[in-house]
Amino acid sequence: MTDHRKAIIPVWTLATGDVRVPELVKNEPMTAERLAELRGVLAALADQPIATLEVHPLPDKLDRGRGIPLDAASPLAQHLSQLITESARSSSTMSAAGEGLYRMVVPAKVAAQFGQGIVRPMVAKGSAGGIRGCLVNSATGRIAAGVTFEPVGRAAAAGAVGGAGATAGVAVGGSAALTVAAPLVLMAVAVGVSAHADSKRQQAIERITELLEQLHDEKLNNDRSELDGCRDAIDKATAVLLDQGKLGASLGLDSAVHAISKALAAAERRLTQWQGALDELPAGKAVEIGTLTKSFPGVDEDGGTFRAHLELAALAIALKRRVIVLQAVEHAQTDSGNVFENFVRALKADQQRLDALDSGIAGVLERLSALELARPQGLRPVFTTGEVDRLMRAANRIRRLGDGVMVNSSATDVAIEMARDRDGSVVVFPALAA
């Protein structure tokens, strides 16, 4: 979300540790393209992850219901407030009030460690394989124009998660605009990724509900209810950790994790069956719809059991991604002197399993969409108009399974947007591809 009028936009470069980089940032305006280039160079040269943080005017219309609200006393809000306060003393473009839309962009090489399924590029209309630029209005999808960026002067972020003040300050030997703010980056990424995963959960629930209204399948309905019932425990655990609290058994997170693990195991088992069924099909030959529906029931319909299983898998993956982020934050908080490294390390192993499941399902959908359907075998040499229409509809539905599927997509910069009010409270929106 950005301002479409000509404006000077303050921007910080934030490091997650003490780093030495060339003097790349000068206190003079730059274009959006120059800022994107700068991020790439810093990511390549620095040993520690470096993000940029922009501040834009709040849009007139902003759907805050999409994000996760945090009050002014939360660690993320406090880190952001102190950064604003310190910066306002040395910058003519910064307001001490700090109201605005803050947009943090994390470089692709760091974002890749959060898991390839977290955020994917938004395909640009009219451009095969293209992605939108780094300044996109989340509400309208339009690219911003007429904006220049001005580096904020020397500033220091507030203490760290768990009280490690040593992780905040100006980087040694770096640019005057390079600020060490591991806790701010950590918390922004954690909340943004959690919000993104929850938006995926909501989408999956809506689609599953619509499918189950057609199927009337009690077992699938119970699976859906058990998974969606995990949300309450995850929401509570998220609130506790974002307030630097400790997770306890009373939150019910253990039982939620168990239910999610069962659903993931079922999804992995179904994926293996789907892959085996596709491997058994004759290579390069058309397939009868009856043969296909034995292994993929309902694949030729708008609803169907196969599609319900796909959405249940998407729901389990989205919930697990939220849990992984919670576990990573908790792990990072236990070692306050090594905040961001612990966060990324804790994410990696489980994310790889989820990425493999996500990519496997995407591969199945891509292979299904490429199949050629054969007309049914029978004694009659001629088929009725209704039978031909049914075959054509089935072929179109199966072909559409591949729409939007991205297998082994390359990593992209990740943007986390935070709306900050005058009272210091913050709403963090779902992470998106920058």
Side-chain angles (χ1 to χ4, degrees), residues 344-357:
V344 171
R345 193 181 303 118
L347 280 173
K348 193 171 182 181
D350 281 342
Q351 290 288 11
Q352 288 175 339
R353 178 192 174 196
L354 289 184
D355 290 345
L357 177 58

Side-chain angles (χ1 to χ4, degrees), residues 146-407:
V147 176
T148 57
F149 297 84
E150 181 175 277
V152 178
R154 186 175 298 267
V161 175
T167 63
V170 178
V172 177
S175 164
L178 188 61
T179 302
V180 183
L184 180 58
V185 178
L186 163 67
M187 300 304 286
V189 169
V191 185
V193 169
S194 184
H196 178 83
D198 194 55
S199 70
K200 292 295 184 185
R201 180 201 64 82
Q202 292 177 32
Q203 293 170 17
I205 281 292
E206 290 170 2
R207 290 191 292 259
I208 293 172
T209 301
E210 185 178 341
L211 289 171
L212 294 184
E213 286 175 353
Q214 304 171 30
L215 289 174
H216 303 291
D217 189 310
E218 186 175 352
K219 185 181 184 308
L220 288 176
N221 192 49
N222 289 339
D223 291 344
R224 184 270 312 267
S225 298
E226 185 175 14
L227 273 178
D228 199 37
C230 300
R231 181 192 175 188
D232 185 56
I234 293 174
D235 285 348
K236 286 187 175 67
T238 301
V240 168
L241 276 182
L242 293 180
D243 287 336
Q244 294 186 343
K246 298 293 184 182
L247 297 182
S250 62
L251 293 175
L253 191 60
D254 288 347
S255 58
V257 170
H258 178 65
I260 295 168
S261 296
K262 285 189 347 186
L264 287 173
E268 289 171 332
R269 184 177 64 253
R270 292 186 184 113
L271 174 60
T272 301
Q273 293 171 349
W274 294 337
Q275 291 170 331
L278 287 169
D279 291 340
E280 291 176 1
L281 295 177
K285 293 185 179 180
V287 181
E288 284 190 48
I289 191 64
T291 301
L292 205 57
T293 54
K294 288 179 182 177
S295 300
F296 305 91
V299 70
D300 58 331
E301 303 170 2
D302 285 331
T305 302
F306 172 65
R307 294 174 192 262
H309 284 158
L310 287 176
E311 298 305 334
L312 283 170
L315 176 57
I317 290 171
L319 289 168
K320 183 63 174 178
R321 290 202 189 278
R322 284 200 72 186
V323 170
I324 291 172
V325 172
L326 290 178
Q327 293 169 334
V329 173
E330 184 181 27
H331 186 55
Q333 287 179 348
T334 61
D335 186 355
S336 55
N338 188 16
V339 178
F340 206 82
E341 290 86 346
N342 276 337
F343 175 69
V344 171
R345 193 181 303 118
L347 280 173
K348 193 171 182 181
D350 281 342
Q351 290 288 11
Q352 288 175 339
R353 178 192 174 196
L354 289 184
D355 290 345
L357 177 58
D358 216 2
S359 294
I361 292 173
V364 165
L365 295 178
E366 190 176 50
R367 291 173 68 182
L368 281 172
S369 68
L371 290 176
E372 178 185 354
L373 292 185
R375 66 180 188 177
Q377 299 296 320
L379 299 176
R380 294 178 299 156
V382 180
F383 292 90
T384 66
T385 302
E387 288 172 327
V388 172
D389 288 344
R390 178 178 179 271
L391 183 61
M392 292 296 293
R393 285 196 300 271
N396 287 332
R397 287 174 183 135
I398 292 172
R399 192 174 299 114
R400 287 200 302 270
L401 287 172
D403 291 351
V405 168
M406 300 181 71
V407 182

Side-chain angles (χ1 to χ4, degrees), residues 1-2 103 122 132-138 141-144 417:
M1 299 179 189
T2 56
R103 189 173 198 265
M122 183 186 299
R132 293 187 184 272
C134 65
L135 301 175
V136 180
N137 186 305
S138 297
R142 292 180 295 181
I143 298 176
E417 295 176 338

Side-chain angles (χ1 to χ4, degrees), residues 1-5 7-12 35 52-68 76 80 83-84 93-95 97-105 134-142 144 147-149 152 184 188 415-422 424-432:
M1 299 179 189
T2 56
D3 186 21
H4 288 262
R5 301 162 296 181
I8 297 292
I9 302 299
V11 57
W12 292 270
L35 179 61
T52 56
L53 179 64
E54 311 153 15
V55 54
H56 303 267
L58 279 174
D60 296 332
K61 294 182 179 179
L62 190 60
D63 181 11
R64 295 170 183 264
R66 298 184 302 108
I68 294 178
L76 184 145
L80 187 58
L83 180 66
I84 294 164
T93 58
M94 279 299 302
S95 166
E99 183 182 47
L101 189 75
Y102 292 77
R103 189 173 198 265
M104 181 181 292
V105 181
C134 65
L135 301 175
V136 180
N137 186 305
S138 297
T140 66
R142 292 180 295 181
V147 176
T148 57
F149 297 84
V152 178
L184 180 58
I416 298 103
E417 295 176 338
M418 301 170 280
R420 184 182 187 276
D421 292 321
R422 288 184 178 274
S425 62
V426 175
V427 176
V428 185
F429 296 97
L432 48 88

